[in-house]
Each structure stands twice: as structure tokens, then as C-alpha cells.
PDB file of all heavy atoms in Angstrom:
ATOM      1  N   ALA A  17       1.205   8.792   2.341  1.00  0.00           N
ATOM      2  CA  ALA A  17       1.503   7.396   2.641  1.00  0.00           C
ATOM      3  C   ALA A  17       1.152   6.489   1.464  1.00  0.00           C
ATOM      4  O   ALA A  17       1.894   5.555   1.129  1.00  0.00           O
ATOM      5  CB  ALA A  17       0.745   6.951   3.894  1.00  0.00           C
ATOM      6  N   VAL A  18       0.026   6.762   0.823  1.00  0.00           N
ATOM      7  CA  VAL A  18      -0.392   5.957  -0.345  1.00  0.00           C
ATOM      8  C   VAL A  18       0.607   6.126  -1.483  1.00  0.00           C
ATOM      9  O   VAL A  18       1.032   5.146  -2.115  1.00  0.00           O
ATOM     10  CB  VAL A  18      -1.807   6.365  -0.800  1.00  0.00           C
ATOM     11  CG1 VAL A  18      -2.121   5.742  -2.163  1.00  0.00           C
ATOM     12  CG2 VAL A  18      -2.834   5.938   0.238  1.00  0.00           C
ATOM     13  N   ILE A  19       0.967   7.369  -1.746  1.00  0.00           N
ATOM     14  CA  ILE A  19       1.922   7.633  -2.831  1.00  0.00           C
ATOM     15  C   ILE A  19       3.254   6.941  -2.540  1.00  0.00           C
ATOM     16  O   ILE A  19       3.878   6.350  -3.426  1.00  0.00           O
ATOM     17  CB  ILE A  19       2.112   9.150  -3.013  1.00  0.00           C
ATOM     18  CG1 ILE A  19       0.829   9.765  -3.585  1.00  0.00           C
ATOM     19  CG2 ILE A  19       3.305   9.444  -3.933  1.00  0.00           C
ATOM     20  CD1 ILE A  19       0.833  11.277  -3.639  1.00  0.00           C
ATOM     21  N   ALA A  20       3.702   6.995  -1.292  1.00  0.00           N
ATOM     22  CA  ALA A  20       4.958   6.338  -0.924  1.00  0.00           C
ATOM     23  C   ALA A  20       4.856   4.832  -1.124  1.00  0.00           C
ATOM     24  O   ALA A  20       5.767   4.195  -1.676  1.00  0.00           O
ATOM     25  CB  ALA A  20       5.305   6.660   0.524  1.00  0.00           C
ATOM     26  N   ALA A  21       3.745   4.244  -0.675  1.00  0.00           N
ATOM     27  CA  ALA A  21       3.578   2.794  -0.814  1.00  0.00           C
ATOM     28  C   ALA A  21       3.536   2.387  -2.277  1.00  0.00           C
ATOM     29  O   ALA A  21       4.060   1.328  -2.655  1.00  0.00           O
ATOM     30  CB  ALA A  21       2.312   2.346  -0.092  1.00  0.00           C
ATOM     31  N   ARG A  22       2.922   3.195  -3.115  1.00  0.00           N
ATOM     32  CA  ARG A  22       2.867   2.889  -4.552  1.00  0.00           C
ATOM     33  C   ARG A  22       4.253   3.011  -5.192  1.00  0.00           C
ATOM     34  O   ARG A  22       4.531   2.380  -6.220  1.00  0.00           O
ATOM     35  CB  ARG A  22       1.911   3.852  -5.255  1.00  0.00           C
ATOM     36  CG  ARG A  22       0.450   3.731  -4.848  1.00  0.00           C
ATOM     37  CD  ARG A  22      -0.167   2.457  -5.345  1.00  0.00           C
ATOM     38  NE  ARG A  22      -1.608   2.434  -5.168  1.00  0.00           N
ATOM     39  CZ  ARG A  22      -2.357   1.345  -5.296  1.00  0.00           C
ATOM     40  NH1 ARG A  22      -1.769   0.180  -5.578  1.00  0.00           N
ATOM     41  NH2 ARG A  22      -3.661   1.401  -5.117  1.00  0.00           N
ATOM     42  N   THR A  23       5.123   3.811  -4.591  1.00  0.00           N
ATOM     43  CA  THR A  23       6.461   4.009  -5.148  1.00  0.00           C
ATOM     44  C   THR A  23       7.273   2.722  -5.160  1.00  0.00           C
ATOM     45  O   THR A  23       8.108   2.513  -6.038  1.00  0.00           O
ATOM     46  CB  THR A  23       7.211   5.098  -4.355  1.00  0.00           C
ATOM     47  OG1 THR A  23       6.474   6.317  -4.425  1.00  0.00           O
ATOM     48  CG2 THR A  23       8.606   5.343  -4.911  1.00  0.00           C
ATOM     49  N   PHE A  24       7.033   1.848  -4.195  1.00  0.00           N
ATOM     50  CA  PHE A  24       7.765   0.567  -4.181  1.00  0.00           C
ATOM     51  C   PHE A  24       7.541  -0.201  -5.477  1.00  0.00           C
ATOM     52  O   PHE A  24       8.454  -0.838  -5.997  1.00  0.00           O
ATOM     53  CB  PHE A  24       7.326  -0.282  -2.982  1.00  0.00           C
ATOM     54  CG  PHE A  24       7.802   0.224  -1.664  1.00  0.00           C
ATOM     55  CD1 PHE A  24       6.928   0.837  -0.781  1.00  0.00           C
ATOM     56  CD2 PHE A  24       9.131   0.094  -1.295  1.00  0.00           C
ATOM     57  CE1 PHE A  24       7.365   1.304   0.452  1.00  0.00           C
ATOM     58  CE2 PHE A  24       9.581   0.557  -0.069  1.00  0.00           C
ATOM     59  CZ  PHE A  24       8.695   1.176   0.804  1.00  0.00           C
ATOM     60  N   GLN A  25       6.319  -0.125  -5.988  1.00  0.00           N
ATOM     61  CA  GLN A  25       6.009  -0.853  -7.220  1.00  0.00           C
ATOM     62  C   GLN A  25       6.654  -0.201  -8.427  1.00  0.00           C
ATOM     63  O   GLN A  25       7.241  -0.877  -9.277  1.00  0.00           O
ATOM     64  CB  GLN A  25       4.499  -0.933  -7.417  1.00  0.00           C
ATOM     65  CG  GLN A  25       4.087  -1.726  -8.655  1.00  0.00           C
ATOM     66  CD  GLN A  25       2.595  -2.032  -8.683  1.00  0.00           C
ATOM     67  OE1 GLN A  25       1.864  -1.653  -7.781  1.00  0.00           O
ATOM     68  NE2 GLN A  25       2.159  -2.738  -9.699  1.00  0.00           N
ATOM     69  N   THR A  26       6.587   1.120  -8.512  1.00  0.00           N
ATOM     70  CA  THR A  26       7.137   1.805  -9.686  1.00  0.00           C
ATOM     71  C   THR A  26       8.662   1.734  -9.708  1.00  0.00           C
ATOM     72  O   THR A  26       9.265   1.535 -10.765  1.00  0.00           O
ATOM     73  CB  THR A  26       6.674   3.265  -9.721  1.00  0.00           C
ATOM     74  OG1 THR A  26       7.029   3.917  -8.499  1.00  0.00           O
ATOM     75  CG2 THR A  26       5.170   3.352  -9.905  1.00  0.00           C
ATOM     76  N   MET A  27       9.298   1.872  -8.556  1.00  0.00           N
ATOM     77  CA  MET A  27      10.760   1.825  -8.518  1.00  0.00           C
ATOM     78  C   MET A  27      11.294   0.417  -8.760  1.00  0.00           C
ATOM     79  O   MET A  27      12.264   0.217  -9.482  1.00  0.00           O
ATOM     80  CB  MET A  27      11.280   2.337  -7.168  1.00  0.00           C
ATOM     81  CG  MET A  27      11.211   3.826  -6.981  1.00  0.00           C
ATOM     82  SD  MET A  27      12.049   4.340  -5.460  1.00  0.00           S
ATOM     83  CE  MET A  27      13.750   3.962  -5.846  1.00  0.00           C
ATOM     84  N   GLY A  28      10.652  -0.564  -8.126  1.00  0.00           N
ATOM     85  CA  GLY A  28      11.146  -1.935  -8.231  1.00  0.00           C
ATOM     86  C   GLY A  28      10.652  -2.684  -9.442  1.00  0.00           C
ATOM     87  O   GLY A  28      11.089  -3.798  -9.713  1.00  0.00           O
ATOM     88  N   GLU A  29       9.709  -2.085 -10.187  1.00  0.00           N
ATOM     89  CA  GLU A  29       9.142  -2.709 -11.391  1.00  0.00           C
ATOM     90  C   GLU A  29       8.634  -4.117 -11.089  1.00  0.00           C
ATOM     91  O   GLU A  29       8.828  -5.059 -11.857  1.00  0.00           O
ATOM     92  CB  GLU A  29      10.176  -2.745 -12.516  1.00  0.00           C
ATOM     93  CG  GLU A  29      10.628  -1.362 -12.963  1.00  0.00           C
ATOM     94  CD  GLU A  29      11.625  -1.419 -14.104  1.00  0.00           C
ATOM     95  OE1 GLU A  29      12.165  -2.504 -14.387  1.00  0.00           O
ATOM     96  OE2 GLU A  29      11.861  -0.363 -14.726  1.00  0.00           O
ATOM     97  N   ALA A  30       7.973  -4.245  -9.928  1.00  0.00           N
ATOM     98  CA  ALA A  30       7.384  -5.523  -9.531  1.00  0.00           C
ATOM     99  C   ALA A  30       5.876  -5.350  -9.408  1.00  0.00           C
ATOM    100  O   ALA A  30       5.352  -4.235  -9.365  1.00  0.00           O
ATOM    101  CB  ALA A  30       7.975  -5.992  -8.209  1.00  0.00           C
ATOM    102  N   LYS A  31       5.178  -6.470  -9.334  1.00  0.00           N
ATOM    103  CA  LYS A  31       3.729  -6.439  -9.168  1.00  0.00           C
ATOM    104  C   LYS A  31       3.335  -7.468  -8.115  1.00  0.00           C
ATOM    105  O   LYS A  31       4.143  -8.307  -7.706  1.00  0.00           O
ATOM    106  CB  LYS A  31       3.030  -6.732 -10.487  1.00  0.00           C
ATOM    107  CG  LYS A  31       3.352  -8.058 -11.128  1.00  0.00           C
ATOM    108  CD  LYS A  31       2.644  -8.207 -12.464  1.00  0.00           C
ATOM    109  CE  LYS A  31       2.902  -9.577 -13.097  1.00  0.00           C
ATOM    110  NZ  LYS A  31       4.323  -9.773 -13.447  1.00  0.00           N
ATOM    111  N   VAL A  32       2.092  -7.384  -7.678  1.00  0.00           N
ATOM    112  CA  VAL A  32       1.595  -8.324  -6.682  1.00  0.00           C
ATOM    113  C   VAL A  32       1.729  -9.744  -7.230  1.00  0.00           C
ATOM    114  O   VAL A  32       1.371 -10.028  -8.373  1.00  0.00           O
ATOM    115  CB  VAL A  32       0.134  -8.016  -6.332  1.00  0.00           C
ATOM    116  CG1 VAL A  32      -0.445  -9.120  -5.440  1.00  0.00           C
ATOM    117  CG2 VAL A  32       0.031  -6.664  -5.630  1.00  0.00           C
ATOM    118  N   GLY A  33       2.274 -10.624  -6.414  1.00  0.00           N
ATOM    119  CA  GLY A  33       2.494 -12.001  -6.834  1.00  0.00           C
ATOM    120  C   GLY A  33       3.929 -12.317  -7.188  1.00  0.00           C
ATOM    121  O   GLY A  33       4.292 -13.485  -7.360  1.00  0.00           O
ATOM    122  N   ASP A  34       4.781 -11.281  -7.298  1.00  0.00           N
ATOM    123  CA  ASP A  34       6.197 -11.497  -7.622  1.00  0.00           C
ATOM    124  C   ASP A  34       7.029 -11.879  -6.401  1.00  0.00           C
ATOM    125  O   ASP A  34       8.201 -12.175  -6.509  1.00  0.00           O
ATOM    126  CB  ASP A  34       6.802 -10.240  -8.256  1.00  0.00           C
ATOM    127  CG  ASP A  34       6.373 -10.048  -9.698  1.00  0.00           C
ATOM    128  OD1 ASP A  34       5.862 -11.013 -10.297  1.00  0.00           O
ATOM    129  OD2 ASP A  34       6.568  -8.934 -10.227  1.00  0.00           O
ATOM    130  N   LYS A  35       6.401 -11.862  -5.233  1.00  0.00           N
ATOM    131  CA  LYS A  35       7.069 -12.157  -3.957  1.00  0.00           C
ATOM    132  C   LYS A  35       8.115 -11.093  -3.639  1.00  0.00           C
ATOM    133  O   LYS A  35       9.312 -11.347  -3.545  1.00  0.00           O
ATOM    134  CB  LYS A  35       7.717 -13.543  -3.956  1.00  0.00           C
ATOM    135  CG  LYS A  35       8.077 -14.036  -2.542  1.00  0.00           C
ATOM    136  CD  LYS A  35       8.317 -15.526  -2.494  1.00  0.00           C
ATOM    137  CE  LYS A  35       8.483 -15.986  -1.047  1.00  0.00           C
ATOM    138  NZ  LYS A  35       8.391 -17.432  -0.884  1.00  0.00           N
ATOM    139  N   THR A  36       7.627  -9.880  -3.455  1.00  0.00           N
ATOM    140  CA  THR A  36       8.477  -8.749  -3.093  1.00  0.00           C
ATOM    141  C   THR A  36       7.739  -7.885  -2.070  1.00  0.00           C
ATOM    142  O   THR A  36       6.604  -8.191  -1.670  1.00  0.00           O
ATOM    143  CB  THR A  36       8.819  -7.868  -4.312  1.00  0.00           C
ATOM    144  OG1 THR A  36       7.624  -7.183  -4.734  1.00  0.00           O
ATOM    145  CG2 THR A  36       9.363  -8.706  -5.467  1.00  0.00           C
ATOM    146  N   ILE A  37       8.338  -6.787  -1.717  1.00  0.00           N
ATOM    147  CA  ILE A  37       7.716  -5.829  -0.800  1.00  0.00           C
ATOM    148  C   ILE A  37       6.381  -5.316  -1.325  1.00  0.00           C
ATOM    149  O   ILE A  37       5.491  -4.940  -0.553  1.00  0.00           O
ATOM    150  CB  ILE A  37       8.690  -4.656  -0.536  1.00  0.00           C
ATOM    151  CG1 ILE A  37       8.213  -3.810   0.633  1.00  0.00           C
ATOM    152  CG2 ILE A  37       8.892  -3.810  -1.787  1.00  0.00           C
ATOM    153  CD1 ILE A  37       9.228  -2.750   1.057  1.00  0.00           C
ATOM    154  N   VAL A  38       6.220  -5.353  -2.646  1.00  0.00           N
ATOM    155  CA  VAL A  38       4.982  -4.881  -3.272  1.00  0.00           C
ATOM    156  C   VAL A  38       3.772  -5.682  -2.798  1.00  0.00           C
ATOM    157  O   VAL A  38       2.655  -5.159  -2.718  1.00  0.00           O
ATOM    158  CB  VAL A  38       5.113  -4.938  -4.811  1.00  0.00           C
ATOM    159  CG1 VAL A  38       3.776  -4.668  -5.498  1.00  0.00           C
ATOM    160  CG2 VAL A  38       6.156  -3.920  -5.275  1.00  0.00           C
ATOM    161  N   ASP A  39       3.964  -6.953  -2.449  1.00  0.00           N
ATOM    162  CA  ASP A  39       2.851  -7.786  -1.985  1.00  0.00           C
ATOM    163  C   ASP A  39       2.278  -7.297  -0.659  1.00  0.00           C
ATOM    164  O   ASP A  39       1.137  -7.630  -0.322  1.00  0.00           O
ATOM    165  CB  ASP A  39       3.312  -9.239  -1.847  1.00  0.00           C
ATOM    166  CG  ASP A  39       3.552  -9.885  -3.195  1.00  0.00           C
ATOM    167  OD1 ASP A  39       2.582 -10.016  -3.958  1.00  0.00           O
ATOM    168  OD2 ASP A  39       4.701 -10.232  -3.493  1.00  0.00           O
ATOM    169  N   ALA A  40       3.033  -6.528   0.102  1.00  0.00           N
ATOM    170  CA  ALA A  40       2.527  -5.926   1.326  1.00  0.00           C
ATOM    171  C   ALA A  40       2.172  -4.460   1.121  1.00  0.00           C
ATOM    172  O   ALA A  40       1.183  -3.967   1.670  1.00  0.00           O
ATOM    173  CB  ALA A  40       3.561  -6.047   2.443  1.00  0.00           C
ATOM    174  N   ALA A  41       2.974  -3.756   0.327  1.00  0.00           N
ATOM    175  CA  ALA A  41       2.756  -2.321   0.133  1.00  0.00           C
ATOM    176  C   ALA A  41       1.481  -2.025  -0.652  1.00  0.00           C
ATOM    177  O   ALA A  41       0.798  -1.036  -0.383  1.00  0.00           O
ATOM    178  CB  ALA A  41       3.960  -1.702  -0.575  1.00  0.00           C
ATOM    179  N   THR A  42       1.145  -2.875  -1.624  1.00  0.00           N
ATOM    180  CA  THR A  42      -0.045  -2.622  -2.442  1.00  0.00           C
ATOM    181  C   THR A  42      -1.336  -2.756  -1.648  1.00  0.00           C
ATOM    182  O   THR A  42      -2.189  -1.857  -1.696  1.00  0.00           O
ATOM    183  CB  THR A  42      -0.047  -3.539  -3.678  1.00  0.00           C
ATOM    184  OG1 THR A  42       1.078  -3.214  -4.498  1.00  0.00           O
ATOM    185  CG2 THR A  42      -1.323  -3.366  -4.478  1.00  0.00           C
ATOM    186  N   PRO A  43      -1.553  -3.855  -0.893  1.00  0.00           N
ATOM    187  CA  PRO A  43      -2.783  -3.885  -0.086  1.00  0.00           C
ATOM    188  C   PRO A  43      -2.825  -2.786   0.973  1.00  0.00           C
ATOM    189  O   PRO A  43      -3.908  -2.298   1.320  1.00  0.00           O
ATOM    190  CB  PRO A  43      -2.756  -5.282   0.551  1.00  0.00           C
ATOM    191  CG  PRO A  43      -1.371  -5.795   0.392  1.00  0.00           C
ATOM    192  CD  PRO A  43      -0.830  -5.141  -0.830  1.00  0.00           C
ATOM    193  N   PHE A  44      -1.665  -2.373   1.473  1.00  0.00           N
ATOM    194  CA  PHE A  44      -1.622  -1.242   2.397  1.00  0.00           C
ATOM    195  C   PHE A  44      -2.158   0.005   1.709  1.00  0.00           C
ATOM    196  O   PHE A  44      -3.014   0.711   2.253  1.00  0.00           O
ATOM    197  CB  PHE A  44      -0.187  -1.008   2.868  1.00  0.00           C
ATOM    198  CG  PHE A  44      -0.010   0.223   3.715  1.00  0.00           C
ATOM    199  CD1 PHE A  44      -0.171   0.170   5.088  1.00  0.00           C
ATOM    200  CD2 PHE A  44       0.318   1.448   3.133  1.00  0.00           C
ATOM    201  CE1 PHE A  44      -0.022   1.310   5.869  1.00  0.00           C
ATOM    202  CE2 PHE A  44       0.466   2.589   3.906  1.00  0.00           C
ATOM    203  CZ  PHE A  44       0.289   2.525   5.284  1.00  0.00           C
ATOM    204  N   ALA A  45      -1.664   0.287   0.498  1.00  0.00           N
ATOM    205  CA  ALA A  45      -2.094   1.479  -0.235  1.00  0.00           C
ATOM    206  C   ALA A  45      -3.578   1.409  -0.588  1.00  0.00           C
ATOM    207  O   ALA A  45      -4.304   2.405  -0.448  1.00  0.00           O
ATOM    208  CB  ALA A  45      -1.253   1.632  -1.505  1.00  0.00           C
ATOM    209  N   GLU A  46      -4.032   0.248  -1.008  1.00  0.00           N
ATOM    210  CA  GLU A  46      -5.439   0.096  -1.387  1.00  0.00           C
ATOM    211  C   GLU A  46      -6.360   0.317  -0.193  1.00  0.00           C
ATOM    212  O   GLU A  46      -7.428   0.938  -0.314  1.00  0.00           O
ATOM    213  CB  GLU A  46      -5.661  -1.292  -1.987  1.00  0.00           C
ATOM    214  CG  GLU A  46      -4.995  -1.472  -3.346  1.00  0.00           C
ATOM    215  CD  GLU A  46      -5.084  -2.893  -3.864  1.00  0.00           C
ATOM    216  OE1 GLU A  46      -5.418  -3.793  -3.050  1.00  0.00           O
ATOM    217  OE2 GLU A  46      -4.806  -3.123  -5.053  1.00  0.00           O
ATOM    218  N   SER A  47      -5.947  -0.183   0.963  1.00  0.00           N
ATOM    219  CA  SER A  47      -6.757   0.002   2.165  1.00  0.00           C
ATOM    220  C   SER A  47      -6.795   1.469   2.584  1.00  0.00           C
ATOM    221  O   SER A  47      -7.862   1.994   2.935  1.00  0.00           O
ATOM    222  CB  SER A  47      -6.189  -0.852   3.299  1.00  0.00           C
ATOM    223  OG  SER A  47      -6.944  -0.699   4.489  1.00  0.00           O
ATOM    224  N   MET A  48      -5.661   2.150   2.517  1.00  0.00           N
ATOM    225  CA  MET A  48      -5.612   3.566   2.888  1.00  0.00           C
ATOM    226  C   MET A  48      -6.443   4.416   1.937  1.00  0.00           C
ATOM    227  O   MET A  48      -7.082   5.390   2.352  1.00  0.00           O
ATOM    228  CB  MET A  48      -4.166   4.053   2.897  1.00  0.00           C
ATOM    229  CG  MET A  48      -3.316   3.538   4.056  1.00  0.00           C
ATOM    230  SD  MET A  48      -3.792   4.204   5.665  1.00  0.00           S
ATOM    231  CE  MET A  48      -3.203   5.894   5.523  1.00  0.00           C
ATOM    232  N   GLU A  49      -6.439   4.052   0.669  1.00  0.00           N
ATOM    233  CA  GLU A  49      -7.180   4.830  -0.334  1.00  0.00           C
ATOM    234  C   GLU A  49      -8.680   4.795  -0.091  1.00  0.00           C
ATOM    235  O   GLU A  49      -9.395   5.758  -0.377  1.00  0.00           O
ATOM    236  CB  GLU A  49      -6.873   4.296  -1.731  1.00  0.00           C
ATOM    237  CG  GLU A  49      -5.515   4.717  -2.273  1.00  0.00           C
ATOM    238  CD  GLU A  49      -5.216   4.085  -3.623  1.00  0.00           C
ATOM    239  OE1 GLU A  49      -5.609   2.925  -3.838  1.00  0.00           O
ATOM    240  OE2 GLU A  49      -4.576   4.757  -4.453  1.00  0.00           O
ATOM    241  N   THR A  50      -9.162   3.679   0.396  1.00  0.00           N
ATOM    242  CA  THR A  50     -10.612   3.509   0.549  1.00  0.00           C
ATOM    243  C   THR A  50     -11.098   3.737   1.972  1.00  0.00           C
ATOM    244  O   THR A  50     -12.295   3.623   2.247  1.00  0.00           O
ATOM    245  CB  THR A  50     -11.020   2.091   0.104  1.00  0.00           C
ATOM    246  OG1 THR A  50     -10.301   1.129   0.890  1.00  0.00           O
ATOM    247  CG2 THR A  50     -10.699   1.872  -1.370  1.00  0.00           C
ATOM    248  N   ALA A  51     -10.192   4.042   2.898  1.00  0.00           N
ATOM    249  CA  ALA A  51     -10.564   4.193   4.303  1.00  0.00           C
ATOM    250  C   ALA A  51     -11.446   5.411   4.518  1.00  0.00           C
ATOM    251  O   ALA A  51     -11.249   6.465   3.904  1.00  0.00           O
ATOM    252  CB  ALA A  51      -9.316   4.301   5.160  1.00  0.00           C
ATOM    253  N   LYS A  52     -12.425   5.271   5.412  1.00  0.00           N
ATOM    254  CA  LYS A  52     -13.325   6.371   5.755  1.00  0.00           C
ATOM    255  C   LYS A  52     -13.134   6.811   7.207  1.00  0.00           C
ATOM    256  O   LYS A  52     -13.680   7.820   7.624  1.00  0.00           O
ATOM    257  CB  LYS A  52     -14.779   5.939   5.549  1.00  0.00           C
ATOM    258  CG  LYS A  52     -15.103   5.457   4.142  1.00  0.00           C
ATOM    259  CD  LYS A  52     -14.934   6.577   3.120  1.00  0.00           C
ATOM    260  CE  LYS A  52     -15.349   6.073   1.721  1.00  0.00           C
ATOM    261  NZ  LYS A  52     -15.131   7.141   0.699  1.00  0.00           N
ATOM    262  N   SER A  53     -12.349   6.056   7.967  1.00  0.00           N
ATOM    263  CA  SER A  53     -12.184   6.324   9.393  1.00  0.00           C
ATOM    264  C   SER A  53     -11.051   7.312   9.640  1.00  0.00           C
ATOM    265  O   SER A  53     -10.374   7.767   8.709  1.00  0.00           O
ATOM    266  CB  SER A  53     -11.906   5.014  10.138  1.00  0.00           C
ATOM    267  OG  SER A  53     -10.790   4.354   9.571  1.00  0.00           O
ATOM    268  N   GLN A  54     -10.830   7.626  10.919  1.00  0.00           N
ATOM    269  CA  GLN A  54      -9.737   8.505  11.291  1.00  0.00           C
ATOM    270  C   GLN A  54      -8.401   7.869  10.897  1.00  0.00           C
ATOM    271  O   GLN A  54      -8.295   6.654  10.732  1.00  0.00           O
ATOM    272  CB  GLN A  54      -9.766   8.779  12.794  1.00  0.00           C
ATOM    273  CG  GLN A  54     -10.957   9.612  13.245  1.00  0.00           C
ATOM    274  CD  GLN A  54     -10.949   9.852  14.735  1.00  0.00           C
ATOM    275  OE1 GLN A  54     -10.348   9.073  15.492  1.00  0.00           O
ATOM    276  NE2 GLN A  54     -11.606  10.918  15.170  1.00  0.00           N
ATOM    277  N   LEU A  55      -7.378   8.705  10.810  1.00  0.00           N
ATOM    278  CA  LEU A  55      -6.086   8.254  10.281  1.00  0.00           C
ATOM    279  C   LEU A  55      -5.516   7.076  11.062  1.00  0.00           C
ATOM    280  O   LEU A  55      -5.053   6.095  10.473  1.00  0.00           O
ATOM    281  CB  LEU A  55      -5.094   9.416  10.283  1.00  0.00           C
ATOM    282  CG  LEU A  55      -3.696   9.087   9.747  1.00  0.00           C
ATOM    283  CD1 LEU A  55      -3.752   8.633   8.294  1.00  0.00           C
ATOM    284  CD2 LEU A  55      -2.776  10.305   9.875  1.00  0.00           C
ATOM    285  N   ALA A  56      -5.537   7.140  12.402  1.00  0.00           N
ATOM    286  CA  ALA A  56      -4.939   6.064  13.200  1.00  0.00           C
ATOM    287  C   ALA A  56      -5.642   4.730  12.941  1.00  0.00           C
ATOM    288  O   ALA A  56      -4.987   3.689  12.786  1.00  0.00           O
ATOM    289  CB  ALA A  56      -4.986   6.410  14.677  1.00  0.00           C
ATOM    290  N   LEU A  57      -6.955   4.760  12.883  1.00  0.00           N
ATOM    291  CA  LEU A  57      -7.703   3.524  12.637  1.00  0.00           C
ATOM    292  C   LEU A  57      -7.485   3.038  11.202  1.00  0.00           C
ATOM    293  O   LEU A  57      -7.362   1.834  10.951  1.00  0.00           O
ATOM    294  CB  LEU A  57      -9.200   3.761  12.901  1.00  0.00           C
ATOM    295  CG  LEU A  57      -9.581   4.043  14.361  1.00  0.00           C
ATOM    296  CD1 LEU A  57     -11.067   4.360  14.471  1.00  0.00           C
ATOM    297  CD2 LEU A  57      -9.230   2.843  15.232  1.00  0.00           C
ATOM    298  N   ALA A  58      -7.470   3.977  10.267  1.00  0.00           N
ATOM    299  CA  ALA A  58      -7.254   3.619   8.860  1.00  0.00           C
ATOM    300  C   ALA A  58      -5.869   2.991   8.689  1.00  0.00           C
ATOM    301  O   ALA A  58      -5.714   1.992   7.964  1.00  0.00           O
ATOM    302  CB  ALA A  58      -7.394   4.857   7.976  1.00  0.00           C
ATOM    303  N   TRP A  59      -4.877   3.576   9.349  1.00  0.00           N
ATOM    304  CA  TRP A  59      -3.502   3.051   9.225  1.00  0.00           C
ATOM    305  C   TRP A  59      -3.408   1.656   9.849  1.00  0.00           C
ATOM    306  O   TRP A  59      -2.747   0.775   9.307  1.00  0.00           O
ATOM    307  CB  TRP A  59      -2.521   3.998   9.901  1.00  0.00           C
ATOM    308  CG  TRP A  59      -1.096   3.795   9.449  1.00  0.00           C
ATOM    309  CD1 TRP A  59      -0.334   2.683   9.645  1.00  0.00           C
ATOM    310  CD2 TRP A  59      -0.275   4.718   8.727  1.00  0.00           C
ATOM    311  NE1 TRP A  59       0.907   2.841   9.098  1.00  0.00           N
ATOM    312  CE2 TRP A  59       0.978   4.086   8.524  1.00  0.00           C
ATOM    313  CE3 TRP A  59      -0.468   6.011   8.253  1.00  0.00           C
ATOM    314  CZ2 TRP A  59       2.017   4.718   7.851  1.00  0.00           C
ATOM    315  CZ3 TRP A  59       0.570   6.643   7.595  1.00  0.00           C
ATOM    316  CH2 TRP A  59       1.810   5.997   7.391  1.00  0.00           C
ATOM    317  N   LYS A  60      -4.080   1.474  10.995  1.00  0.00           N
ATOM    318  CA  LYS A  60      -4.051   0.168  11.648  1.00  0.00           C
ATOM    319  C   LYS A  60      -4.643  -0.901  10.744  1.00  0.00           C
ATOM    320  O   LYS A  60      -4.076  -2.007  10.603  1.00  0.00           O
ATOM    321  CB  LYS A  60      -4.834   0.231  12.960  1.00  0.00           C
ATOM    322  CG  LYS A  60      -4.819  -1.088  13.740  1.00  0.00           C
ATOM    323  CD  LYS A  60      -5.572  -0.950  15.054  1.00  0.00           C
ATOM    324  CE  LYS A  60      -5.556  -2.282  15.816  1.00  0.00           C
ATOM    325  NZ  LYS A  60      -6.318  -2.193  17.095  1.00  0.00           N
ATOM    326  N   LYS A  61      -5.774  -0.587  10.094  1.00  0.00           N
ATOM    327  CA  LYS A  61      -6.399  -1.539   9.176  1.00  0.00           C
ATOM    328  C   LYS A  61      -5.487  -1.811   7.986  1.00  0.00           C
ATOM    329  O   LYS A  61      -5.318  -2.962   7.552  1.00  0.00           O
ATOM    330  CB  LYS A  61      -7.738  -0.972   8.690  1.00  0.00           C
ATOM    331  CG  LYS A  61      -8.443  -1.845   7.661  1.00  0.00           C
ATOM    332  CD  LYS A  61      -8.826  -3.201   8.226  1.00  0.00           C
ATOM    333  CE  LYS A  61      -9.624  -4.005   7.207  1.00  0.00           C
ATOM    334  NZ  LYS A  61      -9.959  -5.370   7.707  1.00  0.00           N
TER     335      LYS A  61
END
């Protein structure tokens, strides 16, 4: 899921602040990367 979310940035050549899908996908990926809880709870966060 993290790798997929990061793909939006690499494919679209956008970064946070450009007002694109990356502005949602990046915090999603960052949260999943650092999560310590079970998958369902981590995904919800």
C-alpha cells in the first residue's frame, strides 16, 4: 500500500503542495510507514 501510494508522486511528478492527489497519498503513505498497530487500525489512521 505504501509503495502504491508513493507511485502517485513518481508517476505524476508532483509534490505535496501542488494541489494534486499527492497531497492525500503522501500523508497516507507516511502514516502507514510509521504505524505500529494492526493493519485495519493503521489503515484507518
Side-chain angles (χ1 to χ4, degrees):
V18 169
I19 291 172
R22 295 290 190 193
T23 301
F24 288 107
Q25 182 169 0
T26 56
M27 285 188 67
E29 298 182 346
K31 59 183 183 295
V32 172
D34 284 344
K35 196 163 188 166
T36 70
I37 193 172
V38 171
D39 289 296
T42 296
F44 174 89
E46 291 173 346
S47 180
M48 288 291 288
E49 283 176 324
T50 58
K52 303 296 183 183
S53 55
Q54 292 180 336
L55 180 61
L57 293 176
W59 199 295
K60 182 178 180 182
K61 177 63 176 177

